[in-house]
């Protein structure tokens, strides 16, 4: 089984940016839903934030590698 970090390394820049946009939109929706109706698993918000950070880290590493 691949870790998230390995999974993100295999994606292209375009795919990573699309995934980042999707994760950010999903995080916003989850937060809005959580304010009106508490989630069963509030840890999912934390996991989404961490995935966003992983993607941003990989994008930044690639940016520095090109420079």
């Amino acid at each position: 089984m691949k870790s998230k970090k390995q999974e993100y390394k295999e994606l292209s820049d375009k795919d990573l940016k699309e995934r980042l946009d999707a994760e950010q939109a999903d995080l916003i929706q989850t937060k809005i839903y959580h304010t009106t109706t508490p989630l069963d698993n509030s840890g999912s918000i934390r996991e989404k934030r961490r995935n966003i950070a992983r993607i941003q880290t990989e994008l930044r590493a690639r940016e520095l590698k090109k420079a």
Side-chain angles (χ1 to χ4, degrees):
M1 191 169 127
K2 294 181 184 177
S3 70
K4 291 280 187 187
K5 188 175 180 181
Q6 289 173 333
E7 182 182 322
Y8 294 142
K9 282 185 181 279
E10 294 174 359
L11 294 175
S12 68
D13 288 352
K14 182 182 177 193
D15 291 338
L16 271 178
K17 288 176 184 172
E18 288 174 2
R19 179 85 58 100
L20 178 62
D21 291 341
E23 286 281 344
Q24 287 174 332
D26 193 28
L27 176 63
I28 291 168
Q29 282 299 111
T30 304
K31 282 182 174 180
I32 291 170
Y33 181 73
H34 182 59
T35 56
T36 58
T37 309
L39 296 172
D40 292 336
N41 180 11
S42 60
S44 64
I45 292 174
R46 180 185 216 181
E47 184 61 32
K48 289 178 193 317
R49 283 196 331 252
R50 287 182 176 182
N51 285 338
I52 289 169
R54 285 184 187 109
I55 294 169
Q56 288 174 334
T57 300
E58 180 60 29
L59 285 171
R60 179 67 176 149
R62 291 180 185 189
E63 184 181 310
L64 290 174
K65 200 176 224 183
K66 289 179 184 176

